[in-house]
Amino acid sequence: MRFHHRAVPIALAAVLIDSIGFGIVLPVLPGLIVDLTGTTLPDATRIGGWLAIVFAAAHFFAGPVLGNLGDRFGRRPVLLAAMAIFAVDYSLMAFAPTIAWLFAGRLIAGIAGAVYGPANAVIADVTPPERRGATFGLMGAAFGIGFIIGPAIGGLLADFGSRAPFMAAAALAALNAAWISIWLPETLAPAHRRPFDWRRANAFGAFMPVFRLPGARPLLVVAFVWQLSHQVYPATWAFFAEIALGWDARAIGWSLATTGVAMALTQMFVTGRAIGALGETRTVMIGLTVGALTYLGYTFVNAGWQVYALLIFGALQALAYPSLNAMLSRMADASNQGALQGGMASIASLAAILGPLGLTQTLAWGAERGFPGAAFALAAALAFLAAGIVLVFLLLRPARAVAPGDGQPI
């Protein structure tokens, strides 16, 4: 694939490594928690939820800091430092002797892994506004490919023990740090840099510049509710598959890899074409609706073939977030793309705090009562709510004027 700027594949690789590092441990996580605590699988599900919350809380507070540091010092040093810390942290987690060490490792990984905002800012720096939707789609594809490679490797490496995937994640992060240090050019011109301001870099202050953008609030609510529902995959899938279907780490890894393949292909070959043909708002609506129907289907699955049929159909849900991100990126000028993406990362992280808290507890509650699909029923309700907001506030509203920022129609 040819890229319009050499910074693009490096930014994509940073997100790829981040998602590999996250996905590679998912197949072994239920067994590792049980080994470290000696608890039952439903109780391990609850502990897994708290691990996800710790990771997301660190993401929530670190996201706007990294985004604003990128606006002040440039994108390159932020991405390089984050990836180096990521490598060291996963090396330490490979030798975690207790569950407390695992919690500490996930905390550090959440901080270092908050690279999505700076990486998106690199994309915004070097991409014309009319091409951002498709390019953000590639960012989603990188995340999806990470979910191909990560869980597949994690499932295969599970044969060598539950610690092996952590060492593999550390090695990949170290290689990516080396690539960034050698090849990534700085994409933020000095003229567009601004002083670092803690009022904008704190997790809650990061929302304010975004909320002040005209027309942004419905989009932000949709982004939050959608991300809340989407947490059902990283927070519960490994536990759900073992409880509902009796799958082992290898089967869990291959199912997650299949999800990554389907979503990556959608991001690479469908997102840009769909936005060009239908517009960003209708593309968002398609993604949200498909996601809601897919969650509803998972609520009642009882066989592996049903899961894989839903995985293929559900790939179109990957249209939602890149389209939302492209719509919002048009509203901000060049000096505030890092703050915008940091704010978006904080929205996603806030959802990743609240989502696992509700979804893992719902899964455990349902599993104890013979209804393991309970978490997906909750996710479906949230996704239908997000689609309803788009329908009422965006598709049925009067035509809007051209938004500020890049001066492109939204």
Side-chain angles (χ1 to χ4, degrees):
M1 180 179 294
R2 297 183 62 184
F3 297 99
H4 59 275
H5 194 285
R6 70 187 179 99
V8 173
I10 302 176
L12 295 175
V15 173
L16 174 68
I17 297 301
D18 185 33
S19 66
I20 289 175
F22 184 80
I24 200 172
V25 303
L26 290 180
V28 301
L29 196 57
L32 181 59
I33 293 173
V34 170
D35 289 344
L36 290 175
T37 62
T39 191
T40 64
L41 191 56
D43 285 337
T45 302
R46 294 184 173 96
I47 295 172
W50 287 109
L51 280 169
I53 290 167
V54 166
F55 181 88
H59 238 40
F60 176 68
F61 290 104
V65 174
L66 294 188
N68 279 270
L69 284 173
D71 284 342
R72 172 63 182 88
F73 298 106
R75 321 301 186 196
R76 184 179 182 277
V78 173
L79 287 172
L80 178 59
M83 201 55 60
I85 294 171
F86 200 64
V88 173
D89 177 64
Y90 270 91
S91 298
L92 294 176
M93 280 196 288
F95 301 100
T98 66
I99 194 69
W101 274 58
L102 198 59
F103 270 97
R106 295 309 283 166
L107 175 69
I108 298 171
I111 296 171
V115 299
Y116 207 79
N120 270 331
V122 169
I123 298 298
D125 289 340
V126 301
T127 307
E130 65 274 8
R131 296 183 61 181
R132 286 181 189 161
T135 311
F136 283 137
L138 293 178
M139 189 68 77
F143 188 86
I145 291 171
F147 255 76
I148 300 169
I149 300 171
I153 294 175
L156 293 172
L157 291 178
D159 293 340
F160 299 95
S162 58
R163 311 304 181 105
F166 291 93
M167 291 300 297
L172 289 171
L175 288 173
N176 191 241
W179 191 24
I180 290 171
S181 68
I182 296 171
W183 292 106
L184 179 64
E186 181 52 61
T187 60
L188 182 65
H192 289 151
R193 299 183 189 184
R194 59 175 177 80
F196 183 85
D197 185 351
W198 276 110
R199 291 173 298 179
R200 303 179 70 176
N202 75 78
F204 298 99
F207 295 110
M208 299 313 297
V210 187
F211 272 98
R212 285 196 294 265
L213 296 172
R217 292 184 182 183
L219 295 176
L220 296 173
V221 173
V222 169
F224 174 71
V225 176
W226 170 244
Q227 291 280 1
L228 201 63
S229 72
H230 206 61
Q231 289 304 311
V232 74
Y233 291 123
T236 73
W237 183 260
F239 300 94
F240 166 78
E242 188 167 343
I243 292 170
L245 301 166
W247 285 0
D248 60 12
R250 184 183 290 266
I252 292 167
W254 284 118
S255 68
L256 289 170
T258 302
T259 300
V261 170
M263 289 194 177
L265 291 174
T266 300
Q267 298 279 19
M268 294 173 66
F269 300 111
V270 180
T271 300
R273 291 177 173 86
I275 291 174
L278 303 173
E280 290 158 346
T281 304
R282 289 182 176 84
T283 303
V284 168
M285 188 66 182
I286 292 171
L288 296 176
T289 303
V290 169
L293 293 173
T294 302
Y295 298 148
L296 192 61
Y298 284 132
T299 302
F300 304 105
V301 296
N302 55 23
W305 72 266
Q306 297 169 351
V307 171
Y308 278 89
L310 285 169
L311 288 180
I312 302 304
F313 169 73
L316 289 177
Q317 68 190 275
L319 297 174
Y321 196 76
S323 303
L324 280 170
N325 207 359
M327 293 167 74
L328 283 162
S329 74
R330 291 177 179 269
M331 300 179 182
D333 60 23
S335 64
N336 285 285
Q337 288 294 331
L340 168 63
Q341 298 302 332
M344 289 294 286
S346 287
I347 289 172
S349 295
L350 181 60
I353 295 170
L354 299 177
L357 181 62
L359 291 163
T360 56
Q361 305 309 309
T362 301
L363 171 59
W365 176 88
E368 291 168 344
R369 290 160 178 80
F371 182 39
F376 280 97
L378 176 57
L382 291 168
F384 277 122
L385 174 60
I389 295 170
V390 172
L391 180 65
V392 172
F393 288 96
L394 299 178
L395 285 174
L396 300 182
R397 67 181 179 173
R400 271 179 45 82
V402 173
D406 291 314
Q408 298 292 329
I410 296 173

